[in-house]
Amino acid sequence: MLSISHVATGAFIASKVSNPLIAIPLILASHFLEDWIPHWDVGTGLTNGTRKKESAFGMEIVELVLSFVIVYFFFQFHQTTTFPLWTYVGGFVGLIPDFLEFPRNFFHWEPFWLEPINKFHGIFHHSTPNMVVGLTPQFILLLVIFLLK
């Protein structure tokens, strides 16, 4: 999934569940559930060499910035409450499984302790090179989150 989807989902869960002992496992579980859905993301094609690392890295930086801008507009824009730090933490937690894959995907380096975690993540990860098919569930997800927030 795009980082936007994971961040929005993590922020949504955090906005609804204030207890970190409950929210963090739910946010991490949502990451794996979302990756189970066939999807397109900026990393699609890195493994088989159809996308260059430099291109994916640049797109990911832009996407990360957009992710937290979307969280702002979904959860903070026109709100009179204080800055929702926990919502942003939830968005960050939603990306942890992808952050753990970063060394392997971009530097071909995987510390021994990350290998089982990344293998577990890989069991759930189903990407598709078809952007339309891969982005459609993500647009639907963002729409549902926006409507339920």
Side-chain angles (χ1 to χ4, degrees):
M1 287 274 174
L2 290 169
S3 295
I4 294 168
S5 300
H6 292 308
V7 168
T9 301
F12 176 75
I13 292 170
S15 75
K16 301 298 182 191
V17 181
S18 60
N19 183 339
L21 295 176
I22 298 170
I24 289 173
L26 287 175
I27 293 166
L28 292 172
S30 74
H31 182 104
F32 297 114
L33 179 62
E34 288 174 345
D35 274 355
W36 180 71
I37 299 166
H39 63 279
W40 182 91
D41 58 35
V42 298
T44 300
L46 275 177
T47 307
N48 65 13
T50 58
R51 166 158 288 139
K52 294 184 179 193
K53 288 188 285 186
E54 297 80 11
S55 168
F57 184 77
M59 289 173 66
E60 186 59 40
I61 296 299
V62 170
E63 189 192 353
L64 283 172
V65 170
L66 284 174
S67 298
F68 287 96
V69 168
I70 285 174
V71 167
Y72 173 79
F73 282 108
F74 276 22
F75 299 99
Q76 185 62 27
F77 193 66
H78 289 307
Q79 299 295 320
T80 57
T81 59
T82 60
F83 183 75
L85 181 62
W86 173 235
T87 305
Y88 286 92
V89 170
F92 178 81
V93 170
L95 290 175
I96 287 175
D98 288 341
F99 288 146
L100 295 176
E101 286 188 326
F102 184 84
R104 183 193 65 202
N105 290 343
F106 287 93
F107 301 119
H108 301 291
W109 176 71
E110 185 173 42
F112 73 92
W113 57 273
L114 275 182
E115 188 175 349
I117 297 168
N118 288 337
K119 280 185 179 179
F120 179 76
H121 188 193
I123 291 169
F124 293 91
H125 200 268
H126 295 94
S127 61
T128 177
N130 185 322
M131 283 183 76
V132 174
V133 170
L135 291 176
T136 300
Q138 297 181 73
F139 285 124
I140 293 168
L141 174 69
L142 290 174
L143 178 63
V144 168
I145 289 171
F146 179 76
L147 293 173
L148 294 176
K149 67 175 178 75

